[in-house]
Amino acid sequence: MNNNQKLAKEWFDSAENTYQYALIGAKEERIYPDIGFLSQQVVEKILKGMLVLKIVNPPMIHDLQKLLNEVVKHYPSFVNFENECKILSAFYIESRYPPSIPDYTREDILVAFSAAERFRNFFREKVVIGEEEKEE
């Protein structure tokens, strides 16, 4: 495993840890806005890891749509995740800092979590460290 693969694996492992934590929270009766933020972080970490895997320094941004645009240059099959990235990008700042935390419903948070889960599952099907993107 080369250095880029090792670093990418660190990004992917961190994303998986974050996903597992969000999954626990999403199962709770009372759901918190932090699950939306964690969902955003799952996708951000995967996107940045994918760029590292292709020997691209990920930009120091949190806008998932911009990160996705960079990733699609190397992984065209991810082009259809623009809507998920748009949904999740809103949770980066808004879900964390009072007094502007929106009054999210349980459904809002679960929509965000589901978007992250769809992206994560697709990523796990398509990308393997040490191999090129799997064929569709």
Side-chain angles (χ1 to χ4, degrees), residues 28-128:
E28 292 296 315
E29 188 172 320
R30 181 171 177 205
I31 199 159
Y32 299 92
D34 293 333
I35 302 306
F37 171 70
L38 292 171
S39 299
Q40 184 277 345
Q41 285 291 286
V42 168
V43 174
E44 181 178 333
K45 291 173 183 182
I46 291 171
L47 288 169
K48 288 182 175 180
M50 291 171 74
L51 291 172
V52 168
L53 199 54
K54 291 298 184 177
I55 314 175
V56 175
N57 286 326
M60 295 176 62
I61 60 173
H62 306 287
D63 184 325
L64 299 183
Q65 291 168 289
K66 288 181 181 176
L67 289 169
L68 180 66
N69 289 340
E70 291 302 310
V71 163
V72 166
K73 293 175 186 175
H74 306 280
Y75 299 92
S77 63
F78 282 77
V79 72
N80 294 324
F81 283 94
E82 189 173 306
N83 190 52
E84 284 82 352
C85 289
K86 182 178 179 181
I87 290 167
L88 290 165
S89 284
F91 284 89
Y92 181 72
I93 299 278
E94 292 177 358
S95 66
R96 299 188 312 158
Y97 298 109
S100 59
I101 296 175
D103 208 12
Y104 293 116
T105 66
R106 179 177 180 79
E107 184 179 332
D108 294 334
I109 300 300
L110 292 177
V111 164
F113 178 76
S114 294
E117 189 168 52
R118 281 190 305 277
F119 187 91
R120 170 196 170 263
N121 292 345
F122 188 78
F123 161 78
R124 290 168 61 104
E125 289 175 18
K126 294 291 181 185
V127 179
V128 178

